[in-house]
Amino acid sequence: MKHPDDSGIAHGGPAQPGATTPALPPAVSFAGLELPVEVVRTLSGLGVRDPFPIQAATLPDALAGRDVLGRGRTGSGKTLAFGLPLLTRTAGRRAEPKQPLALILVPTRELAQQITQALAPYAEALRLRTATVVGGTSIGRQVAALRQGAEVVVATPGRLHDLIERNACRLGRVRITVLDEADQMCDLGFLPQVADLLDQVHPDGQRMLFSATLDRDVDQLVRRYLHDPVVHSVDPSAGTVSTMEHHVLVVHGPDRYAVTTEIAARDGRVLLFLDTKHAVDQLTRHLRASGVHAGALHSGKSQPQRTRTLAQFKNGQITVLVATNVAARGLHIDDLDLVVNVDPPTDPKDYVHRAGRTARAGESGSVVTLVLAGQRRETSLMMAGAGIEPTVTKVRSGEAELSRITGARAPSGTPLDGAPAIPRPKNSNAPFRGLGTSKDPSRGAGGTSRKAGEARKLAEARKAALVRRNG
C-alpha cells in the first residue's frame, strides 16, 4: 500500500520506489505483543489496555527493530508507539558516562518534558535512566545527568548540540533514534542540526520518524537516514476528525476584545492562540484584570515560568492559557475541549497543529477562529489548504449564539491578585497583533504612545531644572 501524500516514499524504501516491505499485522492488544512483563504490568496498572491505531500499526514493526516512518496527527498516541519499543529494545543494557544508548529528538522544551514524563513509569519498570536535555534550564545539571549515565536521552537539537560541543555527550553508542514532530523541527530551521546529530549516531541503528506531514524537508531526512522503512499512515488529519468541530466567528472590530473576554470566562478550559509575545502578555493582563484565571505561555518566558504555567493549566489553577505557537505542538492537556485562534493562522499546518490540542485520543472538541470581515477570504483559503470546512457565524458579545458555540459568558470583573485595571485597546479593525504588539513598539497596552509619554516626562524635567536654576 502506498499513500498518496507520502512524498513518493513507498514501503520498500527510497532507493526502490516500486518495491514494498510488507508490514507486520497490527497488534490487537498490548498483552499480545512481545513486551516485557514489567511493561505490560505497568500499562495495566495505568489503565492502558487497547492500543490506539498508530500504536497497533507500528508497534510490531518497531519491536522487530525495523525503521519506521509514522504519519499521524498530534494526539494520536505516538509517544507510546515509539517509546515502548525504544525502552524494550534498550532494556538490560547499561550506559557508560556521557554515552546514551537511545535518543529521542523533539522540537520544543515542553514536548521533551512531556515525553519524559509519559515514558517515566515504563522506564522505571525496566530500570532505565532517562535525561531531558533542553534549553532554558540548567546546563550544569544536564551535564551531571549525562556524566552519571543515562540510557535514554530526550532532547531538543540545539541544547544537545551544545552539550556535544562541550564534550559532555557522545552519540556513537546510540542504536535507537526517534525523531518526533519532524515536520516542525524542519519548519523551525533545525534540519542542519538534526542531520549533524544523525550523522553521529551508530550507523547500523534503528531509526523511527514520526510526523503529521511528510513534506519535502521531512522526505529529505527519510531518504538519507531511514533504511527500508515500513510506512504507516493511519490517522486522519484534523479536518476529518469526526469528534472535532470547526467554527469561524466573524466579529466586528470594536467588539473583538469583548468577544474574546467572554469566551475566556466560560466554564471549562480554553486555549487562546495569538501571533506575538507582546499580544499574549497584553491579553493575559486584561483577562486577569477582568477576573479570568489566565496565564501566558511564549518563548519569552523562562523555562521554570513555562513549566509552572503549564502545570497550573493542567491542574485547574488557571482555566485559560494564552499562547503563541510554542503551545501548538505536542502538548497534551486532558479535558481541553476548546481552542480559539484569536489571531487566525496564515499557514494551514499551523491551523492543524493548533487544532490538534483538542479532540485528542478520541475525545471531542471545538476549534474557533475569530476573523474580521477583511480577513474572511484569506482565512477561507488557509482552511481549505488544511482540509477544513468550517461553520461560519456572525457574532457579537453578549449574544446567545456566541454562548451556544463557545460557552461564552460575562466575566466577574473582579481583578485577580491585585491586577491593575487594563484599559482595552482603542477600537480597531486590526488583528490583535496590531493592537500594541511587538510589531508596533511605539504603542503601549492601552494604545497610548510611549514616545509622547517620554517627551512629556522630558519636558517636565527641563521645567523643574529651570525652576531650580532661577530659584
Side-chain angles (χ1 to χ4, degrees):
M1 176 180 176
K2 181 178 175 181
H3 301 282
D5 54 352
D6 282 342
S7 305
I9 304 164
H11 287 285
Q16 299 175 355
T20 59
T21 298
L24 293 174
V28 177
S29 68
F30 288 113
L33 291 165
E34 294 185 7
L35 290 168
V37 63
E38 298 92 340
V39 170
V40 175
R41 188 184 302 123
T42 303
L43 285 164
S44 179
L46 294 173
V48 182
R49 292 180 176 82
D50 299 320
F52 291 147
I54 198 161
Q55 296 166 357
T58 60
L59 277 167
D61 289 310
L63 285 166
R66 299 183 181 185
D67 282 10
V68 171
L69 176 55
R71 181 182 183 274
R73 76 182 191 93
T74 54
S76 59
K78 289 181 291 181
T79 300
L80 291 188
F82 62 72
L84 295 184
L86 178 144
L87 295 174
T88 296
R89 301 192 68 239
T90 306
R93 301 171 62 202
R94 197 71 173 170
E96 298 292 330
K98 304 182 183 180
Q99 299 185 71
L101 306 176
L103 172 64
I104 302 171
L105 285 175
V106 298
T108 67
R109 306 169 190 173
E110 282 77 17
L111 182 53
Q113 293 174 332
Q114 183 171 288
I115 287 174
T116 302
Q117 292 168 1
L119 297 183
Y122 312 102
E124 290 172 7
L126 295 172
R127 298 184 179 180
L128 292 171
R129 298 167 294 176
T130 62
T132 308
V133 170
V134 297
T137 56
S138 170
I139 195 169
R141 292 179 184 174
Q142 294 168 12
V143 169
L146 290 168
R147 188 185 303 120
Q148 290 170 5
E151 284 74 42
V152 180
V153 167
V154 186
T156 51
R159 175 54 64 90
L160 182 57
H161 183 269
D162 290 344
L163 288 166
I164 292 171
E165 289 287 301
R166 293 176 178 228
N167 197 31
C169 182
R170 295 193 292 274
L171 302 181
R173 296 190 66 201
V174 170
R175 287 186 173 270
I176 306 176
T177 307
V178 173
L179 302 184
D180 191 23
E181 301 283 1
D183 50 346
Q184 192 193 17
M185 281 196 278
C186 293
D187 290 345
L188 294 175
F190 290 142
L191 181 59
Q193 286 181 325
V194 170
D196 180 61
L197 294 170
L198 290 176
D199 286 337
Q200 298 179 50
V201 303
H202 198 286
D204 297 328
Q206 180 185 19
R207 319 282 170 77
M208 291 183 275
L209 185 150
F210 287 79
S211 182
T213 57
L214 302 177
D215 54 14
R216 181 178 56 82
D217 288 335
V218 177
D219 181 26
Q220 181 179 335
L221 286 172
V222 171
R223 292 180 179 276
R224 183 172 172 184
Y225 294 106
L226 268 66
H227 307 297
D228 196 24
V230 179
V231 181
H232 292 285
S233 184
V234 297
D235 276 314
S237 68
T240 57
V241 176
S242 60
T243 56
M244 187 185 297
E245 294 183 358
H246 300 268
H247 293 271
V248 167
L249 302 185
V250 183
V251 298
H252 185 49
D255 198 32
R256 188 183 178 99
Y257 235 56
V259 167
T260 303
T261 304
E262 289 179 9
I263 294 174
R266 72 192 291 265
D267 183 18
R269 291 189 179 95
V270 59
L271 174 56
L272 307 179
F273 280 110
L274 290 91
D275 284 345
T276 69
K277 294 179 285 187
H278 190 93
V280 165
D281 288 336
Q282 174 182 302
L283 179 59
T284 303
R285 288 195 301 268
H286 167 78
L287 292 176
R288 293 189 66 80
S290 301
V292 178
H293 292 270
L297 183 72
H298 56 66
S299 61
K301 302 289 186 182
S302 70
Q303 191 56 45
Q305 286 177 314
R306 289 161 66 168
T307 301
R308 183 170 61 252
T309 299
L310 273 176
Q312 290 174 337
F313 189 51
K314 289 180 178 181
N315 67 26
Q317 284 182 265
I318 61 175
T319 56
V320 180
L321 187 63
V322 190
T324 57
N325 272 345
V326 74
R329 296 279 187 142
L331 292 182
H332 175 76
I333 308 293
D334 290 328
D335 303 320
L336 176 61
D337 62 353
L338 181 63
V339 169
V340 180
N341 294 310
V342 181
D343 284 333
T346 56
D347 188 327
K349 285 202 294 185
D350 286 342
Y351 183 93
V352 169
H353 287 291
R354 290 181 180 188
R357 299 313 95 215
T358 187
R360 296 171 70 85
E363 299 296 325
S364 61
S366 297
V367 185
V368 168
T369 303
L370 305 184
V371 301
L372 305 172
Q375 297 174 304
R376 288 188 64 175
R377 184 176 182 278
E378 180 184 3
T379 301
S380 294
L381 291 173
M382 178 274 298
M383 287 193 160
I388 305 296
E389 294 184 11
T391 302
V392 181
T393 311
K394 288 187 177 181
V395 298
R396 286 185 177 273
S397 58
E399 288 185 343
E401 191 69 357
L402 177 63
S403 296
R404 182 188 69 80
I405 296 171
T406 67
R409 64 183 184 182
S412 70
T414 304
L416 302 177
D417 307 325
I422 303 294
R424 280 169 47 179
K426 292 182 178 179
N427 290 345
S428 168
N429 284 328
F432 270 100
R433 54 182 175 269
L435 295 176
T437 70
S438 58
K439 294 185 179 180
D440 184 16
S442 67
R443 304 197 68 79
T448 303
S449 168
R450 285 203 193 104
K451 291 184 178 179
E454 291 169 357
R456 187 165 55 251
K457 289 180 181 178
L458 183 60
E460 290 172 354
R462 287 175 175 168
K463 183 178 178 181
L466 184 63
V467 168
R468 286 196 300 270
R469 188 163 59 246
N470 291 338

